[in-house]
Amino acid sequence: MRIFLTGATGFIGSHLVPQLLGAGHHVLGSTRSEQGADALRQAGAEPYRAVLEEPEHLAKGAERADAVIHCAFDHDFSQFVANCEKDQAALKAFGEVLKGSDRPLVFTSGVGMGSPGPGQLAVESILDVENPSPRTGSEILATKLVEDGVRVITMRLPQVHDTLKQGLISPLILLAKANGRSAYIEDGETRFSAAHASDVAVLYRLAVEQGKAGERFNAVDEEGVRSVEIATAVGEGLGVPFVSLTREEAAEHFGFMGMFASLDLPASSAWTRERLGWTPSGPDLLTDLRNMDHGTVLA
């Protein structure tokens, strides 16, 4: 297939490009910069200069493709609501191009959208339309696009990691460096599900090749890694204390990242594994945290 991949030079995209090329697909990869375009050419992909702020130009990339994988997202969490609105605009633009065809559109969401309730594992069959995250809007829109005849497939991500980056944990590492301590809230029993970036790339490929309209997949290897374990590994890596904070103290330490640091996001991928034959095998989250160079962590 000729696959239009947004965010092709980003964290997940950089793992996904060789995975798709290795399976015999042609990749038309979006990038913001000429440096990114050069990197894509060197990898064997075809570059397409585009930005999220111009959904009509992204749509033209989709017109040239047999499938779309939408990984691009602006991760400035201080502008989270606005960035989620940009994501919805891109989905709408892709939907207009792909409506009435069998060309798949795989877009990216988070495992929290499938939570059945506090303390329970998020699952693929649930869409929590009351979830307070602004990313909920993209999943609601995806449901409507399916009704309109678009083959939309949802990829729900946990904390995706390697030794350079670890999803939402990366900005928490930067906060620990800045504050001189690695923190968790109260007893540290809240959890993040996780998966290695190489395994997530495999799942995106399987989803675009085999996914059916309306299906949702959880890219989860580990169902729940406790925040106290994460903070301990970060503190040991940085050589700073790891401490428990009250919720009041956490507000000052985490700032706007507090909305993520307090979440409990365990998730299952049992259905995903059975449906697509996905068998993750990469390093676990704590192993990557212990093996990373904490001086070069990427936000």
Side-chain angles (χ1 to χ4, degrees):
M1 287 189 290
R2 182 181 179 89
I3 298 174
F4 180 47
L5 172 62
T6 71
T9 56
F11 176 48
I12 293 174
S14 62
H15 286 268
L16 187 48
V17 166
Q19 175 64 217
L20 293 173
L21 293 173
H25 300 298
H26 178 94
V27 176
L28 177 65
S30 79
T31 178
R32 288 177 172 268
S33 68
E34 188 55 37
Q35 181 181 6
D38 288 341
L40 288 171
R41 291 187 192 98
Q42 291 174 14
E46 179 185 353
Y48 182 85
R49 293 287 294 273
V51 295
L52 285 171
E53 291 78 8
E54 299 177 355
E56 67 283 354
H57 188 53
L58 289 172
K60 292 184 183 301
E63 289 174 356
R64 297 172 53 188
D66 303 311
V68 176
I69 300 178
H70 180 42
C71 286
F73 190 81
D74 188 338
H75 287 91
D76 177 0
F77 291 114
S78 66
Q79 303 294 324
F80 194 33
V81 172
N83 294 336
C84 289
E85 290 172 351
K86 285 193 294 187
D87 188 59
Q88 292 168 45
L91 280 180
K92 287 180 182 177
F94 292 141
E96 286 299 313
V97 172
L98 301 174
K99 181 167 55 178
S101 75
D102 193 44
R103 290 180 289 169
L105 165 59
V106 181
F107 87 101
T108 305
S109 185
V111 293
M113 297 299 106
S115 175
Q120 300 181 60
L121 293 174
V123 293
E124 300 90 340
S125 60
I126 289 177
L127 169 55
D128 176 16
V129 296
E130 302 299 326
N131 192 298
S133 170
R135 293 204 81 163
T136 307
S138 291
E139 288 230 18
I140 293 172
L141 173 59
T143 300
K144 183 179 185 304
L145 291 176
V146 171
E147 294 171 353
D148 291 342
V150 185
R151 185 181 163 191
V152 180
I153 300 145
T154 305
M155 183 65 67
R156 288 175 171 170
L157 299 184
Q159 305 315 302
V160 181
H161 59 87
D162 60 13
T163 54
L164 291 176
K165 191 169 182 178
Q166 298 83 26
L168 294 173
I169 298 166
S170 290
L172 299 182
I173 295 172
L174 296 176
L175 282 172
K177 291 175 68 174
N179 293 327
R181 60 181 181 176
S182 177
Y184 56 93
I185 300 174
E186 295 181 341
D187 61 6
E189 291 298 312
T190 55
R191 295 157 291 175
F192 278 143
S193 53
H196 193 269
S198 60
D199 289 320
V200 172
V202 171
L203 187 58
Y204 269 101
R205 176 181 60 78
L206 293 173
V208 78
E209 292 173 344
Q210 303 178 35
K212 299 177 181 179
E215 288 187 322
R216 309 182 189 104
F217 299 111
N218 280 358
V220 171
D221 182 6
E222 297 178 272
E223 291 185 343
V225 185
R226 295 183 302 148
S227 58
V228 63
E229 297 177 286
I230 294 169
T232 299
V234 170
E236 290 174 344
L238 292 174
V240 299
F242 37 95
V243 299
S244 170
L245 301 179
T246 65
R247 292 193 176 273
E248 292 74 20
E249 293 169 331
E252 180 179 355
H253 176 91
F254 291 112
F256 67 83
M257 285 300 298
M259 60 180 167
F260 301 113
S262 61
L263 293 176
D264 187 36
L265 291 173
S268 166
S269 62
W271 183 84
T272 293
R273 295 182 193 221
E274 180 179 357
R275 167 70 179 84
L276 295 179
W278 183 56
T279 54
S281 59
D284 63 32
L285 174 62
L286 294 180
T287 296
D288 272 352
L289 283 174
R290 294 184 181 115
N291 289 336
M292 68 179 291
D293 179 354
H294 287 77
T296 59
V297 62
L298 301 176

